[in-house]
Amino acid sequence: MVRQIWRSAAFTAVAIALTSCGWAAAIYATEISTDQLAGRWTNEAGTSLTFHAGHTFTSENFDKLPVASDCSRPSDLSSGRWAFYSETSADETASRGTVLSLTFSADDCRVDTYLFGDEDDPVMCPTADPDEGCESIGYLRRAK
């Protein structure tokens, strides 16, 4: 219960910080399902993440995002496993969430990805610090 309160407070703080920076897409955290996550997500910088059944994903140009520099081999970040956070940790049995854990196969580099916006039109922000958010071109949206 304490962790849920902490997580809610953290997401509220993130939303306030991002709103104050003028990023309309990141007004508040949103929870999506596995079905809503499935498929390709892209951004204006040419980065894409494609989420598959079985908790796997592929990526293109992930090394263009600032968060990739936290990994030892950014240019090798092309695939891995994903899970929603559940209570305290990443859990592949969780079917919904507001935060994803992406673990890249190349070097077991883990990147947290936060979901913001509206449930019908969410955006994701891969970042090491949710308080900093993403640059405006860093947000990924579902490809149409």
Side-chain angles (χ1 to χ4, degrees), residues 75-95:
S75 62
D76 292 341
L77 303 179
S78 62
S79 65
R81 299 192 60 79
W82 68 268
F84 285 118
Y85 271 90
S86 170
E87 298 288 326
T88 59
S89 62
D91 180 0
E92 287 192 6
T93 64
S95 61

Side-chain angles (χ1 to χ4, degrees), residues 18-94:
L18 292 174
T19 301
S20 67
C21 294
W23 292 324
I27 294 173
Y28 53 89
T30 192
E31 183 176 86
I32 66 170
S33 69
T34 300
D35 290 341
Q36 291 170 295
L37 179 66
R40 189 167 188 247
W41 295 65
T42 61
N43 72 9
E44 296 172 21
T47 300
S48 72
L49 291 168
T50 304
F51 296 92
H52 308 282
H55 292 272
T56 62
F57 71 90
T58 56
S59 67
E60 295 176 17
N61 301 314
F62 196 85
D63 58 327
K64 291 183 178 181
L65 298 178
V67 71
S69 65
D70 293 340
C71 298
S72 63
R73 297 186 325 232
S75 62
D76 292 341
L77 303 179
S78 62
S79 65
R81 299 192 60 79
W82 68 268
F84 285 118
Y85 271 90
S86 170
E87 298 288 326
T88 59
S89 62
D91 180 0
E92 287 192 6
T93 64

Side-chain angles (χ1 to χ4, degrees), residues 11-29 44 66 114-118 121-127 129-141:
F11 286 129
T12 300
V14 169
I16 290 169
L18 292 174
T19 301
S20 67
C21 294
W23 292 324
I27 294 173
Y28 53 89
E44 296 172 21
Y114 299 84
L115 299 159
F116 296 106
D118 188 293
D121 188 27
V123 295
M124 62 174 58
C125 173
T127 183
D129 184 355
D131 291 335
E132 291 182 17
C134 285
E135 296 176 15
S136 61
I137 62 169
Y139 287 101
L140 288 96
R141 294 185 178 278

Side-chain angles (χ1 to χ4, degrees), residues 62 67 70-71 77 81 85 88-90 99-105 107-114 127-128:
F62 196 85
V67 71
D70 293 340
C71 298
L77 303 179
R81 299 192 60 79
Y85 271 90
T88 59
S89 62
V99 181
L100 288 169
S101 172
L102 306 178
T103 304
F104 287 90
S105 301
D107 60 4
D108 283 335
C109 180
R110 189 178 62 100
V111 174
D112 289 337
T113 301
Y114 299 84
T127 183

